[in-house]
Amino acid sequence: MAFDFKKAARKTLVASVVAGAVLVAVPAVGASTASANEVGNCFDKNYVHLYWHSDFNVYGESCYANRGNNDINAVWADRITTGNNNIQYRDFNGSYVDIDAYHDVSWADGHEPHLLGLAIK
């Protein structure tokens, strides 16, 4: 059985392309930002506490701990308490708003921000 240089070259080329794709993908995965953890209960006053409602008049509460970013499914913020966290929220209109730790912010009906994201700094 003779050695086939063309077949070996083809296998080497395929292996190189696959290895290159893996090398390109690894930094992209490693560069992702951490997300703030949504916690199951809101009993700790140090958590970020978001009181919200949806376009369909569903009301709820969500709490977050630890540094990082969270995408939020376009809810209206009725009130945010920051706990011991400095936060930044991203509004549907594209603005970014910072709120310092130990603040309790609420909005009048019709003036609530429409949230897309929340970051604990």
Side-chain angles (χ1 to χ4, degrees), residues 64-88:
Y64 301 91
N66 303 324
R67 184 174 299 207
N69 300 311
N70 254 29
D71 289 330
I72 296 179
N73 195 15
V75 297
W76 298 93
D78 299 311
R79 178 179 171 201
I80 298 175
T81 61
T82 60
N84 62 358
N85 304 282
N86 294 315
I87 69 165
Q88 181 180 71

Side-chain angles (χ1 to χ4, degrees), residues 15-91:
S16 298
V17 170
V18 170
V22 168
L23 288 175
V24 168
V26 168
V29 171
S32 67
T33 58
S35 67
N37 296 322
E38 186 170 359
V39 294
N41 65 59
C42 293
F43 299 121
D44 192 330
K45 300 254 186 238
N46 291 316
Y47 293 156
V48 174
H49 196 148
L50 170 63
Y51 300 84
W52 55 267
H53 70 274
S54 72
D55 288 329
F56 306 106
N57 291 321
V58 174
Y59 289 80
E61 300 176 37
S62 301
C63 288
Y64 301 91
N66 303 324
R67 184 174 299 207
N69 300 311
N70 254 29
D71 289 330
I72 296 179
N73 195 15
V75 297
W76 298 93
D78 299 311
R79 178 179 171 201
I80 298 175
T81 61
T82 60
N84 62 358
N85 304 282
N86 294 315
I87 69 165
Q88 181 180 71
Y89 69 80
R90 181 171 44 104
D91 197 321

